[in-house]
Amino acid sequence: MKLTRHFSILTIIVNFYICASAFAADLSLWPEIKSPLAKDPAIERKITNLLNQMSLEQKVGQMVQAEITWVTPEDVKKYHLGSVLNGGGSFLNGNRNATVNDWVTFMDELYLASMDTSEGGLPIPMTYGIDAVHGNNKFIGATLYPHNIGLGAANNPKLIHQIGEATAKEVLLAGIDWTFAPTLAVARDDRWGRTYESYSEDPEIVALYAKEMIEGLQGKASTNEFLNEDHIYSTAKHWVGDGGTLNGIDQGDNLDAERDLIDHHAAAYFPALKAGVQSIMASHNMWHGERLHGSKYLLTDVLKGKLGFDGFIVGDWNSHSKIPGCTNDSCPQAIDAGLDMFMVVEEWKNFIENTIKQVKTGEVSLSRIDEAVRRILRVKIRSGLFEKGLPSKRKYANKNELLGAPAHKDIARQAVRESLVLLKNNHNILPLNTNLNVLVAGDGAENMSKQTGGWTINWTGEGNQKSDFPGGTSIYDGIKLAVEAGGGKSTLSPNGSFKVKPDVAIVVFGENPYAEWIGDIKSIIYQQQSHRDAKLIESLQAQGIKVVSVFLSGRPLWVNREINASTAFIAAWLPGSEGIGIADVIFKNNKGNIKHDFKGKLSFSWPKLSSQVVLNRGDTNYDPLFPYGYGLTYKDKVMVGELSTESDFKMEVLKDIPYMVMKGRTNENWNYQLRTKNLQKDIHTPIGKVDGFSMIEADKDIQGDAKEFTWDGTNDVAVYITSNWFREDLSNYLFNNSRLAFDIRVEDYPQGPLLVKMGCSIGACGAFDISPLVNKFKLHSWNKVSIDLLCFANAGVEFERSSAPFILASKDVAKVRVANVEYVPNQAGTADIKCTN
């Protein structure tokens, strides 16, 4: 029986407008800062001499930073590239297990290519940038420190300096000379997916740390240690206002008044500049509707002018393309605005070609090109790249013993101890004796991926295994060592089951890893649908077991239900590779004395109500559950009473808003799964592979918002967006005349059927062949394909219990990129593939 459509009598169109009041920028509000590094006449003469010898092509090449996936050493030589980077989701030669020696060898190849003069090139060393944001986190075996939110709670500037120094050494051993750190964002809305990259909601701690981290990485300005062989140069990011976007939307619009922009979001840049930071990364976000990459006022007038910055401004992952009128491969507007080095990623060759044409036609001034290149050369000369020679010959190159060195792990372990914030300790259950029978529950206890968070080995931190952290310790490792040394017993049971009733349960739980926009949330309610972890803690409590909860998160969340069921509750943030530091604090020593007391104090206010998505010290009517600066110690005798678990947060659900199934990453409730006749493989990492098929990360509009699927014709493979446990009622989209729509870019035309399906009770239903459509598309161009949802319903899909909202399958050769898979209401009539009632 076919489904009959129901048409509504009235169609309600809701328009949302954000009206920012007009304002006039006021340069006088900004402080005047003098660089601690006086202009060196010898350096400036050397720069002038180089500029006089450089062709236009060589100059533009210096302004480009290409991504490792899309560049070779020969490219560096041919196009005079100034820099190379690797994105968070890419690896050297696609190998996440590349050795230190592999990296050093590659750095040598890039360096030699940049210094090759055989075809008229000038010997200008390239520079390599990497996101070493909590240690050299790309490298397996590196020491990983707590993410910034945890370090903010530690409030220990000296420790931050030590972390900077240690990180520099673990970067230098790979022959790399530049890190995209520290992040100086001041996160004001905890729904933002980068909150954990912020030291605090208040600029006080962030400003204090900026100087220490930069001097730890670079050395102290105007001394012999500055940018010497023990240091790398750093990047203050992201200039400016990224932590204050409306509704916490990553890359969104910051509507703060200029005074607030200065006092909150720019405050940490002032000490960074005084510390001699050599590069500053422009932010993805807008300020009153204008993209930072195109803001001449904030890049040139403020940063380079009033604030006296004489290093170079680097762009962020193709962000120049978001400026109206720009594309990935062309953006004269950003050049004019003051961006010096462009992170062009894939289309960098076309960018170079287009920029050269724009200079020749006068659209871009040669003086602006010269100014950008002068700044880049100044940093390269200051950092000693012209004298340091081959990366493999530098002081720390190939010193594998420094990767995860014991001294560095000691610093990280201390950072874990000091970052822990004790929110509840009723009846002073903590610290625990070590001679107890301890049940360790929760899915975070033996989960290195969860405790290290995003920006760990891969971009989002998803899918990492314990074997990826040689020498690292899980939280359970630390508990087991402490308990067994004291004569007690520890049992790991993620679901909380046990044979012998324990004396105490330690439950470790929290957020799964994420990065950037993938981590944006609409609500701060933790597990608002499943309440899985709350139910686990409550079940233990109901059996008369005292529970110590260890909460892993990249931000404060509304966890009143979980706190109520816990005797003690610890905000452990994202502690990194040295999980043993938690046991150092929560257990006594074997003599029954305190080993380490809690030192952490909240650098982010903790919400009392689920509606407190924006909650910051100094707010009008400031009323948190635990205020900024809160944190118990073992001397405190504080009882936390029963908290309200009634949510007052109203999430607005609009009928005309599309349901997003996939935008690079899947909707948070789904994951990728690859299926063949004999295999079903869940994919929780950015890339995946089975016989005859591979998927990798790709870009459409922003980093990682697409996937590239390749079938080689040797196997019948289906890509499912599905879940082994989650089902969702999507019937409202069926009755609301919706269509399935997605963007597709054909890289190699399908040599047979390319089938779109959905999940139903007997497997996959629908099987609509889109190859006749996509074979008409121009190669390497984005197009949209859409199918009436009614077609799938007629084929047996039960939308009330959706198990896989999108499936793409082929057994023949095909290569396509897919982005923005969504159900779009009231658009069935415009679908490419329509069905009758």
Side-chain angles (χ1 to χ4, degrees), residues 553-768:
S553 74
R555 49 197 153 203
L557 293 171
W558 193 65
V559 286
N560 285 12
R561 183 171 172 179
E562 291 80 1
I563 292 174
N564 281 344
S566 307
T567 311
F569 195 95
I570 300 162
W573 314 111
L574 302 170
S577 63
E578 307 312 304
I580 191 173
I582 292 174
D584 288 343
V585 180
I586 65 175
F587 285 99
K588 299 176 184 177
N589 62 25
N590 293 342
K591 294 181 180 180
N593 299 319
I594 294 171
K595 291 171 63 178
H596 297 277
D597 203 344
F598 282 89
K599 292 186 177 181
K601 306 295 180 185
L602 290 178
S603 61
F604 282 83
S605 305
W606 203 279
K608 177 188 293 184
L609 306 172
S610 60
S611 60
Q612 291 175 317
V613 293
V614 177
L615 179 67
N616 300 300
R617 180 171 73 157
D619 288 351
T620 304
N621 301 320
Y622 180 66
D623 184 27
L625 177 60
F626 302 115
Y628 182 97
Y630 179 90
L632 300 174
T633 69
Y634 288 141
K635 295 178 182 178
D636 296 313
K637 311 295 181 185
V638 176
M639 291 288 291
V640 176
E642 193 77 4
L643 306 174
S644 171
T645 57
E646 183 176 347
S647 172
D648 66 338
F649 180 74
K650 306 299 180 186
M651 185 182 295
E652 193 170 14
V653 180
L654 300 174
K655 293 181 180 179
D656 291 336
I657 298 299
Y659 176 78
M660 181 60 70
V661 178
M662 180 272 266
K663 186 178 180 180
R665 296 300 184 272
T666 62
N667 174 308
E668 62 181 354
N669 298 309
W670 309 105
N671 61 267
Y672 288 103
Q673 189 179 84
L674 305 182
R675 294 191 190 182
T676 68
K677 182 178 180 181
N678 302 312
L679 178 70
Q680 181 172 303
K681 182 179 181 181
D682 286 320
I683 305 295
H684 296 288
T685 56
I687 60 176
K689 183 179 291 186
V690 294
D691 288 344
F693 175 86
S694 67
M695 57 179 269
I696 63 171
E697 198 164 68
D699 303 343
K700 181 181 182 290
D701 299 314
I702 57 177
Q703 179 183 0
D705 68 343
K707 277 285 190 282
E708 183 174 279
F709 304 127
T710 303
W711 290 265
D712 68 9
T714 63
N715 201 359
D716 189 348
V717 183
V719 185
Y720 276 63
I721 293 180
T722 185
S723 171
N724 291 327
W725 63 272
F726 180 76
R727 299 292 180 267
E728 186 160 6
D729 184 353
L730 298 173
S731 56
N732 58 316
Y733 287 94
L734 177 64
F735 286 99
N736 203 19
N737 306 325
S738 298
R739 66 178 187 176
L740 166 71
F742 54 94
D743 295 316
I744 189 166
R745 173 172 143 162
V746 182
E747 302 298 304
D748 289 321
Y749 288 117
Q751 299 302 301
L754 184 61
L755 303 176
V756 177
K757 310 177 185 181
M758 288 186 187
C760 69
S761 58
I762 58 173
C765 294
F768 295 98

Side-chain angles (χ1 to χ4, degrees), residues 102-213:
D102 292 336
W103 279 94
V104 172
T105 299
F106 185 62
M107 291 304 118
D108 272 0
E109 292 172 357
L110 294 178
Y111 175 84
L112 289 170
S114 69
M115 301 297 283
D116 192 317
T117 60
S118 61
E119 297 177 11
L122 278 174
I124 299 175
M126 56 75 60
T127 181
Y128 194 95
I130 193 168
D131 286 285
V133 297
H134 65 131
N136 193 8
N137 41 266
K138 173 60 65 175
F139 282 66
I140 288 177
T143 309
L144 301 185
Y145 303 91
H147 270 294
N148 287 358
I149 193 169
L151 297 178
N155 203 358
N156 184 340
K158 181 180 178 182
L159 182 64
I160 300 304
H161 189 99
Q162 292 174 316
I163 291 172
E165 288 182 320
T167 299
K169 289 180 174 62
E170 293 203 26
V171 170
L172 285 166
L173 62 86
I176 296 172
D177 46 67
W178 178 19
T179 178
F180 304 134
T183 298
L184 300 182
V186 177
R188 306 291 285 176
D189 188 320
D190 297 336
R191 293 172 291 182
W192 186 37
R194 303 190 81 153
T195 297
Y196 67 83
E197 295 187 54
S198 175
Y199 294 118
S200 176
E201 72 189 26
D202 189 284
E204 180 183 35
I205 293 174
V206 188
L208 193 63
Y209 278 11
K211 173 179 179 293
E212 296 298 336
M213 180 58 79

